Amino acid sequence: QVQLVESGGGLVQAGNSLRLSCAASGLTFSTHAMGWFRQAPGKERELVATINVGGITYYADFAKGRFTISRDGPAKMVYRQMGSLNAEDTAVYYCNARRLSRTYWGPGTQVTVSS
């Protein structure tokens, strides 16, 4: 059974940084592309960043320069460092794993940025 578990969310002041982690189990980590998505209240879920099996990254425009995605194969972990947070970054952040037609999601972790 595939499981993705996010951690590291919480309340943070604007301008500060936060690191989210995602622990993956039940899948062959090295064959799955990993990503982070977010969903703010009243909005649709949107892509934040992805990292493929070769380590190539992609960032949404709002994330470029502020967020960094990385993966640790042996530990089966995906990290996302977020810097210069602002109120618009308040959302539930989800970890995502993809391979071919299969997609898996974690339950999400809440990030609230106070101004």
Side-chain angles (χ1 to χ4, degrees):
Q1 181 180 359
V2 176
Q3 280 194 319
L4 302 174
V5 180
E6 304 94 341
S7 61
L11 178 64
V12 60
Q13 286 191 331
N16 285 352
S17 300
L18 198 66
R19 188 175 86 153
L20 302 184
S21 300
C22 172
S25 61
L27 54 74
T28 304
F29 189 76
S30 62
T31 64
H32 285 72
M34 304 298 296
W36 287 96
F37 289 70
R38 71 182 187 182
Q39 187 166 16
K43 295 186 177 181
E44 294 186 352
R45 191 173 298 189
E46 62 179 350
L47 171 69
V48 179
T50 62
I51 183 167
N52 70 10
V53 296
I56 296 174
T57 57
Y58 171 84
Y59 295 93
D61 286 343
F62 66 81
K64 291 177 182 177
R66 296 194 301 132
F67 295 176
T68 302
I69 188 171
S70 60
R71 62 190 294 160
D72 181 341
K76 295 187 178 181
M77 297 286 290
V78 178
Y79 304 100
R80 192 164 63 79
Q81 184 73 31
M82 308 189 296
S84 302
L85 291 166
N86 57 62
E88 293 182 345
D89 295 318
T90 294
V92 178
Y93 285 78
Y94 298 90
C95 180
N96 165 277
R98 291 178 293 109
R99 182 177 183 273
L100 300 178
S101 61
R102 297 203 171 186
T103 300
Y104 305 97
W105 295 94
T109 185
Q110 175 71 46
V111 173
T112 302
V113 182
S114 64
S115 55

